Amino acid sequence: MSQNAFAQLEKQLGYEFESKALLRLALSHRSVGLPNNERLEFLGDSILNFVVAEQLYLAFPEAKEGQLTRLRANLVKGDTLAEIATTLSLGNFVRLGEGERKSGGHARASILADLVEAIIGAVYQESGLSAAKELVIRLLKDRLNQLSLDDPQKDSKSALQEYLQSRQLPLPDYQVVKVEGEGHAQRFSIQCVVSGLEATPIATDTSRKKAEKKAARMALDLLNELPRGGR
């Protein structure tokens, strides 16, 4: 990556790396071989969760643990990070192996989300927690300012789990029914087994997590249709 490209990305991040090699590492997907950004991603994920947890703790002093957990999950989930990465045009900077590059890895949400975490980890490695914290807050500023405890932040899996726990029922069991396709074109069919439901919802999507959420929503809808005596 050229010096001009480095400068462009650093301007968007609001942080200038002393070590361009560290930034290059943060942008190196595992498909390029070793070294790659997986360790930085691991580090950045932990820092991201901590910083967001602290910001929510300070912003919502009356919030319960479950509310804070849902708000944090919404901010650190892959879809949110991929949106941030897209805003930063990280797909233009990622280093990919030939196979990933040909299959469109520069636009894949999971890869983009991992880049954000790796960059956070790299900033921490170079300049410590304070700089990494500033970066996280800068990247999430608008989303943090828009949060409200009244927002429907709970995803379908969390909602289903709380529904069952409140009735002292076993937690749902998500099982892979079928996996179709190869590599980046895979589709997962997941069934959600719930105590008290005669039917077993099955949902299909391009990732296991997405299919699980769809199946959980279907299970919730079925549970809400049951007569009160059957709940």
Side-chain angles (χ1 to χ4, degrees):
M1 194 162 75
S2 68
Q3 290 300 317
N4 286 340
F6 274 128
Q8 178 186 347
L9 177 54
E10 288 171 330
K11 183 177 180 180
Q12 293 174 170
L13 292 171
Y15 177 87
E16 183 176 353
F17 280 87
E18 291 184 16
S19 170
K20 306 306 181 188
L22 185 59
L23 175 56
R24 181 180 175 84
L25 178 62
L27 296 170
S28 300
H29 183 255
R30 64 177 179 270
S31 61
V32 302
L34 293 174
N36 59 55
N37 66 4
E38 286 190 316
R39 286 171 57 83
L40 287 175
E41 174 200 335
F42 167 79
L43 187 60
D45 174 67
S46 297
I47 295 165
L48 173 65
N49 275 274
F50 164 71
V51 173
V52 170
E54 181 186 47
Q55 293 302 302
L56 295 175
Y57 180 86
L58 295 173
F60 300 102
E62 303 301 321
K64 297 179 181 178
E65 179 187 2
Q67 292 174 302
L68 294 174
T69 298
R70 287 194 295 273
L71 288 173
R72 181 179 62 182
N74 186 265
L75 287 171
V76 304
K77 66 182 181 181
D79 289 347
T80 300
L81 298 182
E83 289 173 6
I84 292 171
T86 299
T87 301
L88 295 170
S89 300
L90 291 186
N92 295 335
F93 304 102
V94 63
R95 298 181 64 235
L96 299 167
E98 184 177 356
E100 269 309 339
R101 187 170 61 253
K102 288 181 177 179
S103 66
H106 67 282
R108 189 164 302 131
S110 59
I111 291 177
L112 293 176
D114 290 346
L115 288 176
V116 175
E117 292 177 338
I119 288 172
I120 293 169
V123 171
Y124 173 80
Q125 279 288 87
E126 182 172 87
S127 299
L129 182 58
S130 179
K133 179 177 176 179
E134 289 177 5
L135 174 62
V136 171
I137 294 174
R138 190 156 55 245
L139 294 177
L140 291 172
K141 180 179 178 181
D142 291 341
R143 289 172 172 83
L144 285 167
N145 290 337
Q146 293 169 7
L147 287 179
S148 166
L149 293 179
D150 297 325
D151 285 345
Q153 300 291 342
K154 192 186 306 182
D155 66 36
S156 54
K157 288 183 67 175
S158 299
L160 176 59
Q161 180 172 316
E162 290 189 9
Y163 179 101
L164 296 172
Q165 286 178 324
S166 69
R167 291 158 176 79
Q168 298 184 323
L169 294 171
L171 294 180
D173 182 19
Y174 299 95
Q175 302 173 356
V176 178
V177 176
K178 182 169 56 176
V179 179
E180 299 176 293
E182 297 181 3
H184 67 284
Q186 285 186 324
R187 291 185 64 81
F188 297 82
S189 293
I190 304 291
Q191 67 178 11
C192 179
V193 181
V194 175
S195 176
L197 275 184
E198 293 183 7
T200 301
I202 298 177
T204 302
D205 212 311
T206 54
S207 76
R208 180 169 179 165
K209 287 184 178 180
K210 289 180 180 179
E212 287 179 353
K213 288 182 179 180
K214 283 186 177 180
R217 171 50 56 192
M218 293 166 67
L220 269 175
D221 291 342
L222 290 172
L223 287 168
N224 287 325
E225 292 173 2
L226 291 175
R228 290 188 177 275
R231 297 187 186 182

